[in-house]
Amino acid sequence: MKILLILLTITQAHAIDFSITKLCENEPQLIENIEVLNTISVSDLTLYVFKNFEVPFIGDERSINSILNTPTGLDSYEVVSDTEMKVYGWCFQVNGVQPDRFMNQIMLDPTEQIHVNWFYGYAHYKNEQWIAYCTPAYEDKSPFVCSN
């Protein structure tokens, strides 16, 4: 009986919450609860969700350039003035914290309660300095992003 209970515990899947936040509102565009048996990277989880739930994206195992057909390259640069710009892209959080590593370097333990969230954000450049990184676009709702 003990052996059977241990085997059931070992093989029991756990779930990781995965979401994508809307570009201009702090609410989910997509929420999925993904069953996971073993430790998995944010990269593997993200690419699995995008492929299996048909989420359009551009990216690889290290980073995501576009989700849901957002602009890339120079099309993602908002020039505010001669001395200020915002560069938009996708950022992720694990349990509300933005890791300082690539997504393939972050491992998730499915036995813990985990929520991975992707949001559209920007790096802010002003007066020859980068002053912010991964500020959510929904916070200031710039017409550059939220005009539709």
Side-chain angles (χ1 to χ4, degrees):
M1 185 67 153
K2 286 184 181 180
I3 293 173
L4 180 59
L5 182 59
I6 291 169
L7 287 176
L8 287 174
T9 303
I10 291 172
T11 59
Q12 184 178 13
H14 297 277
I16 295 176
D17 293 326
F18 182 95
S19 63
I20 302 171
T21 300
K22 290 182 179 182
L23 298 183
C24 299
E25 296 179 39
N26 188 12
E27 61 182 57
Q29 171 96 20
L30 170 82
I31 296 179
E32 294 297 335
N33 191 270
I34 306 300
E35 295 281 325
V36 177
L37 291 173
N38 297 312
T39 300
I40 187 171
S41 69
V42 171
S43 176
D44 289 340
L45 177 69
T46 297
L47 296 176
Y48 171 85
V49 171
F50 290 174
K51 290 174 183 173
N52 284 280
F53 294 93
E54 299 180 1
V55 176
F57 76 97
I58 299 170
D60 59 27
E61 67 277 349
R62 286 185 60 183
S63 63
I64 299 297
N65 298 330
S66 176
I67 303 172
L68 304 170
N69 303 310
T70 53
T72 60
L74 292 176
D75 292 335
S76 66
Y77 286 45
E78 176 184 12
V79 177
V80 179
S81 71
D82 290 344
T83 61
E84 182 179 8
M85 73 174 169
K86 296 177 181 178
V87 180
Y88 290 87
W90 286 91
C91 306
F92 71 94
Q93 299 174 324
V94 177
N95 292 340
V97 176
Q98 292 178 35
D100 60 356
R101 293 178 281 157
F102 291 110
M103 65 178 184
N104 64 327
Q105 298 171 321
I106 307 296
M107 301 306 293
L108 307 172
D109 180 352
T111 64
E112 298 175 9
Q113 186 172 348
I114 296 178
H115 181 172
V116 174
N117 179 58
W118 283 90
F119 65 94
Y120 200 56
Y122 62 87
H124 195 171
Y125 184 82
K126 188 172 185 177
N127 299 324
E128 301 180 7
Q129 291 186 27
W130 290 102
I131 60 172
Y133 172 76
C134 273
T135 302
Y138 59 75
E139 286 186 1
D140 68 1
K141 294 181 173 50
S142 169
F144 182 79
V145 174
C146 301
S147 63
N148 294 334

